[in-house]
Amino acid sequence: MSKNNRRKIIPPQDESISISLNHIYKENYPLFCFKYLSETSISTCRDHKFFFEFLIRLQKISQLGWPEIRTAPRHGFGMESISVDQIKPQLPACITPDVRKLHIFRATGDNHPFIGLQIDRIFRVLFIEANFGDIYDHE
């Protein structure tokens, strides 16, 4: 690349949204990890709207931060716990026997859940339930 064609970072127009590494390490917002995501339930889902709504939901949850999530309604943008014994599919190997509870968020506005485990700021998504009852029995 010639000197004139090198890529550069353009500073943000609004200084209030500038990001520094120091700021990122202090934030208390959820980070979502899909490394351990099971294909159970989502492998046969062909509803593109469902996945679009899920992405929008992740964005909204991410904007709240963990303190706000803890006080939000469970069928809104909050989360609730579920016993690992209630999960129908086999849990991924990363879930050790000492883990007794997982966490549930709503994946879409119609209350389809996604299930995972929060450790610090990271929420490890294990299952996304595209069809009610695929991952656990709903009461």
Side-chain angles (χ1 to χ4, degrees), residues 40 82-91 102 115 127 129 131-138:
T40 302
I82 186 170
S83 169
V84 294
D85 298 336
Q86 292 179 263
I87 304 297
K88 292 179 181 181
Q90 182 176 348
L91 294 169
L102 297 175
I115 300 97
F127 303 100
E129 192 173 73
N131 300 301
F132 284 114
D134 284 352
I135 307 302
Y136 66 94
D137 292 324
H138 298 259

Side-chain angles (χ1 to χ4, degrees), residues 42-92:
I42 59 170
S43 62
T44 58
C45 181
R46 300 296 177 255
D47 182 0
H48 295 79
K49 183 179 176 196
F50 174 84
F51 291 105
F52 174 77
E53 288 177 6
F54 176 62
L55 286 173
I56 297 301
R57 190 81 167 184
L58 287 178
Q59 179 200 28
K60 289 178 181 177
I61 292 170
S62 296
Q63 292 173 349
L64 290 178
W66 286 115
E68 291 82 8
I69 290 168
R70 298 255 181 270
T71 59
R74 66 185 180 104
H75 284 124
F77 292 103
M79 67 179 188
E80 62 183 309
S81 295
I82 186 170
S83 169
V84 294
D85 298 336
Q86 292 179 263
I87 304 297
K88 292 179 181 181
Q90 182 176 348
L91 294 169

Side-chain angles (χ1 to χ4, degrees), residues 81-84 86 95 98-103 116-118:
S81 295
I82 186 170
S83 169
V84 294
Q86 292 179 263
I95 303 299
D98 62 316
V99 175
R100 300 275 186 238
K101 299 264 183 198
L102 297 175
H103 305 107
L117 182 64
Q118 179 199 352

